[in-house]
């Protein structure tokens, strides 16, 4: 009888050991400078962009922000993360400050300072105290000129050096008062920022006194 050929025995496969998934390495948080001052608060940036400062600093760094210009970072934030134009600029400035690329008051065209003051007068009255030369001389002798004005909301003024660098915005507040916000840009250094901040504080004090003196007595 024909002999049956022996079939080779199949060696049983060893049960494969499932590899445990690798744990993602924790991203090291960027250490922000102790004296770092962001352009807006943590609450504001989260509300405006959906992320906090720590997250944005890390994301910009991971995207190669160290080798990118201000414009390139802002464009990346807008294109990749759908961050609006104003917020893209603000987040970029925060990143530049955190990484030492930009001083506290430094902007693209120089340094800038800002002050605000609540005045006991209506917006129209405050606006006229800035716009009308005769009224302005009561509290400021420097010959500023308005190159753009929207009564009673805002003025854009040319400084004595010819630079169109001063912005004054007026906001109505309760009690018939006005909140004045002033920004003076195109300054040459941090020292000049501090000098002009003191100068403007004195001028706004004088404006408050001039407005009070012009109000009729009860």
């Amino acid at each position: 009888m024909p002999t049956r050929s022996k079939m080779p025995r199949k060696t049983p496969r060893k049960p494969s050991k499932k590899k445990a998934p690798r744990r993602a390495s924790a991203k090291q948080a960027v250490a922000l400078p102790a004296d770092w001052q962001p352009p807006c608060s943590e609450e504001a940036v989260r509300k405006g962009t959906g992320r906090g400062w720590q997250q944005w600093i890390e994301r910009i760094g991971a995207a190669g922000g160290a080798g990118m210009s201000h414009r390139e970072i802002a464009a990346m934030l807008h294109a990749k993360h759908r961050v609006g134009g104003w917020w893209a600029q603000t987040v970029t400035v925060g990143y530049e400050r955190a990484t030492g690329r930009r001083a506290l008051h430094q902007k693209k065209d120089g340094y800038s300072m800002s002050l605000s003051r609540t005045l006991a007068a209506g917006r129209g009255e405050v606006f006229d105290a800035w716009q009308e030369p005769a009224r302005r001389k009561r509290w400021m002798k420097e010959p500023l000129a308005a190159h753009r004005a929207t009564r009673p909301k805002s003025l854009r003024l040319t400084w004595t050096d010819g630079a169109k660098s001063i912005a004054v915005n007026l906001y109505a507040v309760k009690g018939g008062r006005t909140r004045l916000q002033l920004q003076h840009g195109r300054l040459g250094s941090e020292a000049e920022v501090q000098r002009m901040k003191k100068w403007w504080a004195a001028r706004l004090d004088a404006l408050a006194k001039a407005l009070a003196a012009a109000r009729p007595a009860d």
Side-chain angles (χ1 to χ4, degrees):
M1 293 180 64
T3 57
R4 290 184 179 179
S5 59
K6 292 183 180 181
M7 299 292 291
R9 293 183 179 180
K10 292 183 178 180
T11 55
R13 292 182 179 179
K14 294 181 180 179
S16 59
K17 294 182 180 180
K18 291 184 179 180
K19 294 182 179 179
R22 292 182 179 179
R23 292 183 180 179
S25 58
K27 185 186 289 186
Q28 291 184 346
V30 175
L32 299 176
D35 58 348
W36 176 61
Q37 295 186 36
C40 69
S41 68
E42 176 74 11
E43 181 182 2
V45 75
R46 281 189 177 278
K47 185 176 180 180
T49 68
R51 293 186 176 91
W53 281 115
Q54 186 77 47
Q55 291 171 296
W56 279 125
I57 303 306
E58 291 174 355
R59 284 177 180 268
I60 295 172
M68 298 165 68
S69 67
H70 177 97
R71 181 177 295 181
E72 288 170 338
I73 295 172
M76 181 272 293
L77 291 171
H78 180 70
K80 186 176 179 180
H81 298 287
R82 300 291 187 267
V83 180
W86 187 87
W87 276 111
Q89 295 292 330
T90 301
V91 172
T92 302
V93 169
Y95 170 79
E96 290 173 329
R97 287 184 186 176
T99 53
R101 288 169 53 174
R102 183 187 292 259
L104 176 58
H105 299 103
Q106 188 178 10
K107 294 185 178 295
K108 187 177 179 181
D109 56 353
Y111 287 75
S112 176
M113 57 126 301
S114 60
L115 280 178
S116 62
R117 189 70 54 89
T118 299
L119 301 166
R123 285 200 298 173
E125 191 177 351
V126 176
F127 181 93
D128 293 340
W130 280 87
Q131 176 73 331
E132 297 179 12
R135 293 194 183 189
R136 191 167 63 240
K137 284 181 181 179
R138 297 173 187 171
W139 58 277
M140 182 166 57
K141 305 302 181 184
E142 283 69 19
L144 303 186
H147 58 268
R148 192 171 71 202
T150 304
R151 193 180 193 277
K153 297 179 179 180
S154 63
L155 300 103
R156 298 296 180 266
L157 302 156
T158 303
W159 184 234
T160 54
D161 61 1
K164 297 178 179 179
S165 56
I166 301 171
V168 177
N169 293 296
L170 306 174
Y171 304 94
V173 295
K174 291 181 179 180
R177 299 176 299 163
T178 300
R179 184 69 173 172
L180 181 151
Q181 291 186 340
L182 177 144
Q183 186 172 36
H184 189 162
R186 298 188 181 182
L187 300 173
S189 65
E190 180 65 29
E192 190 174 4
V193 166
Q194 298 306 322
R195 180 175 66 83
M196 292 308 304
K197 186 170 285 191
K198 291 180 181 178
W199 188 88
W200 275 116
R203 298 282 65 74
L204 294 184
D205 286 343
L207 170 60
K209 290 180 181 178
L211 290 168
R215 301 192 77 173
D218 296 334

